[in-house]
Amino acid sequence: MVKLPFDDTDCGWYAALPPPMSAKRLEGHHTADHVVIGAGFAGLAAARRLAEHCPHARIVLVDAQRVGYGASGRNSGFVIDLPHKFALEHPDPQHKQRLLGLNRSAIAQLGSLIKQYGIECQWSHAGKYQGAVGPRGLAYLDHFRSLLDNLGEDYRVVEQAELKGVLGTSHYSRAIYTPGCYLMQPAALVRGLGASLPENVEVLEESPIRGLERDSSGAWLLTGDHGLLRTPSVLLSTSIFTQEFGYLRNRLLPVMTFASWTRPLTDEEMASTGIQADWGLTPADHAGTTVRMTQDRRLIIRNTYKHVPRYGHSVNSVTRESIRNDHRKAFLARYPGLQHVPFTHTWGGTYAISRNFTNFFGKVNEGVFATACDNGVGAAWGTVSGRLLADRVVGADSQQLQDIQAVTGMPSLNPPEPFLGLGVRTRIRWAAWNSRSEL
């Protein structure tokens, strides 16, 4: 029995888009040369690349939800070139350079597609601030600075007064600005990528796959509620849900993070705070608060992590209201003069991490390939890993394919329940307590 996505209906990014066209669903029996499961960043990139390699093949991209509704459309809108802190601490400089190269190739790919197809998604080369509030955050910021120095990366230290001129708040004492990050509207970008796929890619939405098994001839049968797909080649771009198909079980941790945003600020509200539009700040202390200001002047607050073994079913309305209240406290700590500005949406998104912070990429069975576990860098990693997974399937070798195979591996095994859940929940609570000054 496959546990399916169960996302809330309050994602601001998705709600801000026009209503989508009617969904085409899986109905009846079909055959395809390749089937890609999961229409997020990885699945979209994989389907596009397969179509480029095999222009006469029939490629089916199938998703349990609408394109842009799932995890890829629910992040904070960063496309990050620099790996997160854990990867930056890797002892091998070549490992880090490979990660950087892969992430930056993903950014270049996305930028090219956005330009080619005129995708309206607030794409912006805005860079990123990593901000510190107090002594704990400043210590993390100093460590981040030393990692950048060792890597030879460009950055700039921004002090409180200059920060206030951009962020419109004196809440942060210092930040490091790195120029390589891009910002975007994730649901708009994902939907635009889906709408611009090559003609030989058929997209089936609202079509959950509930079974994956081989027939007597060795072909794979994908069973839906109202139809069946038969194919020799399956690409799983299903992130945490990869384990629902029997692969990487007990190796992925399902975590949900949450965000709230405001209505667009007025001219008067922008002027009263001195805030500028179109920037993003992540916390120096990874358990702190992410803040975004969109191009259309919405402030986003993101923090709070939950272990969600039943995915969206693990979070109820009472928990969401509590999270929204916590977001409100973080918002007012930074912008007390905007207390009259309401939140209009609060949403969560589920993603996969691993205990050894290792991404999986490669073959999991005869004719079945997977990319899973982005460890929180989904937009860039999903894009490049999906594209290269398609290369791996068709046997198109390249330096980038060799690079991604060199930096990926097997996520480590998790302890059994109930010890896993107890340990993860305790660690999340402990991190939130230690980081309370940075929230």
Side-chain angles (χ1 to χ4, degrees):
M1 179 65 69
V2 175
K3 297 189 185 78
L4 297 172
F6 186 75
D7 289 313
D8 58 68
T9 60
D10 203 34
C11 177
W13 295 120
Y14 194 83
L17 299 180
M21 298 176 62
S22 298
K24 183 175 183 180
R25 299 178 179 88
L26 173 59
E27 297 178 346
H29 288 202
H30 302 268
T31 60
D33 297 292
H34 302 279
V35 174
V36 182
I37 306 178
F41 283 110
L44 289 161
R48 186 182 300 276
R49 187 64 164 173
L50 284 172
E52 292 171 355
H53 283 304
C54 313
H56 302 295
R58 187 187 183 206
I59 297 153
V60 174
L61 174 61
V62 60
D63 197 281
Q65 304 183 113
R66 299 306 303 267
V67 173
Y69 194 82
S72 288
R74 290 172 174 267
N75 59 64
S76 296
F78 294 83
V79 190
I80 296 173
D81 60 331
L82 287 168
H84 280 340
K85 181 177 79 73
F86 305 105
L88 284 178
E89 292 172 337
H90 196 281
D92 181 4
Q94 188 177 11
H95 179 96
K96 292 181 281 193
Q97 291 296 339
R98 282 170 167 154
L99 286 174
L100 274 170
L102 291 167
N103 288 343
R104 286 172 174 162
S105 73
I107 291 173
Q109 179 187 358
L110 287 171
S112 176
L113 291 171
I114 289 165
K115 182 178 180 180
Q116 180 179 354
Y117 295 105
I119 300 173
E120 296 293 336
C121 62
Q122 301 182 27
W123 183 252
S124 170
H125 189 183
K128 180 176 71 70
Y129 296 93
Q130 187 162 117
V133 178
R136 179 180 172 87
L138 289 169
Y140 275 105
L141 204 64
D142 287 342
H143 179 54
F144 180 54
R145 186 176 182 176
S146 69
L147 294 174
L148 293 177
D149 285 336
N150 290 337
L151 199 58
E153 282 295 304
D154 186 27
Y155 67 89
R156 187 167 62 87
V157 177
V158 185
E159 300 294 346
Q160 186 178 50
E162 184 182 351
L163 267 178
K164 185 178 187 301
V166 177
L167 311 184
T169 175
S170 299
H171 189 73
Y172 294 94
S173 53
R174 184 176 301 145
I176 286 177
Y177 174 82
T178 50
C181 178
Y182 281 68
L183 303 178
M184 47 80 179
Q185 208 278 37
L189 175 53
V190 173
R191 185 185 287 184
L193 292 171
S196 60
L197 288 168
E199 291 184 358
N200 61 324
V201 178
E202 182 176 9
V203 180
L204 302 177
E205 301 173 273
E206 296 181 344
S207 301
I209 300 301
R210 297 188 182 271
L212 178 63
E213 60 183 351
R214 299 185 78 173
D215 67 11
S216 58
S217 70
W220 287 99
L221 303 178
L222 288 70
T223 307
D225 291 335
H226 304 288
L228 184 77
L229 282 165
R230 187 173 186 272
T231 182
S233 171
V234 178
L235 286 72
L236 296 173
S237 54
T238 42
S239 186
I240 186 62
F241 298 98
T242 306
Q243 61 190 1
E244 297 299 325
F245 296 100
Y247 302 110
L248 305 181
R249 280 186 174 168
N250 302 318
R251 294 183 182 274
L252 306 179
L253 291 170
V255 175
M256 184 175 283
T257 185
F258 301 84
S260 297
W261 78 2
T262 68
R263 60 159 170 77
L265 300 187
T266 65
D267 290 344
E268 292 76 16
E269 289 160 349
M270 296 286 288
S272 69
T273 58
I275 193 171
Q276 297 182 18
D278 196 27
W279 51 264
L281 179 144
T282 57
D285 180 350
H286 66 275
T289 296
T290 294
V291 185
R292 272 277 325 262
M293 166 57 85
T294 66
Q295 287 185 7
D296 58 352
R297 299 178 170 186
R298 299 176 187 268
L299 274 165
I300 301 174
I301 298 291
R302 189 193 77 178
N303 59 37
T304 311
Y305 296 85
K306 297 288 183 184
H307 176 229
V308 286
R310 296 185 300 121
Y311 313 126
H313 287 284
S314 297
V315 182
N316 57 34
S317 58
V318 174
T319 302
R320 289 191 182 92
E321 186 61 29
S322 175
I323 290 166
R324 187 182 180 97
N325 290 336
D326 289 342
H327 288 170
R328 195 71 189 168
K329 292 174 185 176
F331 174 73
L332 293 178
R334 290 157 174 79
Y335 300 101
L338 297 178
Q339 59 182 338
H340 61 285
V341 178
F343 286 152
T344 60
H345 297 81
T346 297
W347 65 92
T350 306
Y351 64 99
I353 62 174
S354 59
R355 292 174 60 239
N356 58 351
F357 300 102
T358 296
N359 311 71
F360 181 84
F361 174 94
K363 187 175 181 178
V364 293
N365 204 336
E366 192 62 38
V368 183
F369 299 80
T371 173
C373 200
D374 59 51
N375 284 300
V377 196
W381 185 259
T383 297
V384 70
S385 67
R387 175 167 56 86
L388 292 174
L389 191 67
D391 288 354
R392 168 77 172 80
V393 169
V394 303
D397 196 15
S398 67
Q399 183 59 57
Q400 284 197 340
L401 182 58
Q402 295 172 32
D403 286 344
I404 200 169
Q405 291 172 323
V407 299
T408 53
M410 182 61 71
S412 59
L413 277 170
N414 298 325
E417 293 289 3
F419 305 105
L420 173 63
L422 178 63
V424 174
R425 290 191 297 272
T426 301
R427 181 170 180 176
I428 289 174
R429 285 195 294 266
W430 180 246
W433 171 256
N434 283 333
S435 305
R436 62 195 182 279
S437 62
E438 299 295 312
L439 287 171

